[in-house]
Amino acid sequence: MPHTDLTTWLEIDLAAIRRNIQQMQTITTRPVMAIIKANGYGHGLVEVARAAQDAGCAWVGVARFEEALAVRRAGLGLNILVLGYAAPPCAGEAAARNITLTVYDLDVANQYAARARAAGHILNVHAKFDTGMSRLGIFPEDGVPFMQQLSAIPGLCVQGMFTHFARSDEAERVTTIWQNERFSALVTALNAAGLRPALVHAANSAAALYFPGAHYDIVRSGIAIYGLQPSDEAPLPPGFTPALTWKARLSSVKIIPPAQ
Ligand SMILES: *Cc1c(COP(=O)(O)O)cnc(C)c1O
């Protein structure tokens, strides 16, 4: 496509993103939650969300509530998970627009529920567990009582649970194996207690490709759907193509004399 008035531009191949999503689904035999935070890793939030929907994704993941709203306002109906913290006043609108929030604190969960009830809707939530990333999440050892109490809050529907790997894109495998063992033990305990939610997820792109034991019900893939390597130590297998090309118009060619 010629951009005669521009000197430099990005071209985004949405068909490549659709194919990369399908490739990830083929490799993992799991549905993909397309991660589209940070303006779709710079590829365009709404455009990538639409490409994900066209590729058959039932889910996209964003970092912030505002990103989820932008996807909804664009008229897309697929499920949206806000992976980061959302302030309690957002919860009424989240419930009304079927935006799923992440919970890891009972006080905040109760505030979300109060807003959802006031808005006359059920709020879907996914519980987040900290198995070693040391960022957001409940420690898995506290997981069973947490899920018991969370499930009892009227106005909330505990639809999923997840964790995030700190080092799955490194050659060092011990940390991911250890994190996954802690998470898997919690899933087993919740299953026994009748508290396992419908959607259990853990794997980012690198874990989806290199740790099949972490696939669970759905994989959360960001970097790979854009056709980019998770890292030098966790390269993409064949079948993925980069979606972004940076182009620029040639503006000057000249020969510089020696010693100048
Ligand atoms: C960004 C993010 C992902 C996607 O990670 P990639 O390595 O880009 O696949 C998955 N889960 C969470 C919680 C994230 O924040």
Side-chain angles (χ1 to χ4, degrees):
M1 196 194 310
H3 293 287
T4 46
D5 50 340
L6 298 177
T7 55
T8 181
W9 63 92
L10 298 178
E11 284 180 13
I12 310 295
D13 182 354
L14 294 172
I17 293 178
R18 294 196 295 270
R19 285 196 306 272
N20 292 337
I21 289 171
Q22 279 151 1
Q23 178 69 351
M24 186 57 97
Q25 276 166 352
T26 303
I27 289 173
T28 59
T29 69
R30 295 297 190 283
V32 167
M33 176 187 292
I35 304 301
I36 59 170
K37 64 194 177 196
N39 193 31
Y41 291 45
H43 295 65
L45 176 73
V46 169
E47 292 81 356
V48 178
R50 189 171 289 118
Q53 185 169 272
D54 293 346
C57 291
W59 282 92
V60 290
V62 296
R64 299 181 310 125
F65 179 68
E66 302 89 286
E67 297 171 301
L69 269 187
V71 172
R72 272 289 174 269
R73 288 195 177 125
L76 299 179
L78 76 187
N79 296 304
I80 308 172
L81 174 61
V82 178
L83 297 161
Y85 171 71
C90 302
E93 190 169 14
R97 291 180 178 266
N98 184 30
I99 292 169
T100 303
L101 300 183
T102 292
V103 292
Y104 43 85
D105 180 291
L106 285 174
D107 285 340
V108 175
N110 275 304
Q111 293 177 51
Y112 285 169
R115 301 276 181 165
R117 290 194 303 266
H121 293 276
I122 299 286
L123 177 71
N124 290 318
V125 294
H126 289 205
K128 173 94 194 266
F129 293 94
D130 180 3
T131 56
M133 180 87 184
S134 304
R135 216 160 61 182
L136 304 179
I138 288 275
F139 292 123
E141 294 70 25
D142 305 324
V144 172
F146 177 77
M147 290 295 268
Q148 247 153 8
Q149 292 174 73
L150 190 63
S151 310
I153 301 175
L156 298 186
C157 171
V158 188
Q159 195 183 45
M161 62 182 277
F162 68 108
T163 191
H164 194 41
F165 295 123
R167 307 184 65 182
S168 57
D169 61 349
E170 296 180 29
E172 187 270 349
R173 295 178 58 85
V174 177
T175 307
T176 307
I177 291 166
W178 171 69
Q179 283 193 257
N180 195 41
E181 277 169 1
R182 296 180 76 190
F183 187 62
S184 156
L186 174 60
V187 175
T188 304
L190 289 171
N191 216 3
L195 289 166
R196 183 203 194 277
L199 269 185
V200 175
H201 48 108
N204 57 2
S205 298
L209 295 169
Y210 289 97
F211 294 88
H215 282 164
Y216 299 97
D217 302 320
I218 184 168
V219 296
R220 301 189 308 270
S221 185
I223 193 83
I225 70 169
Y226 305 101
L228 302 173
Q229 311 292 344
S231 73
D232 290 346
E233 293 168 2
L236 290 175
F240 290 88
T241 12
L244 182 150
T245 317
W246 182 19
K247 297 200 171 170
R249 204 161 292 288
L250 188 59
S251 56
S252 174
V253 178
K254 65 183 176 185
I255 294 168
I256 308 289
Q260 195 161 323

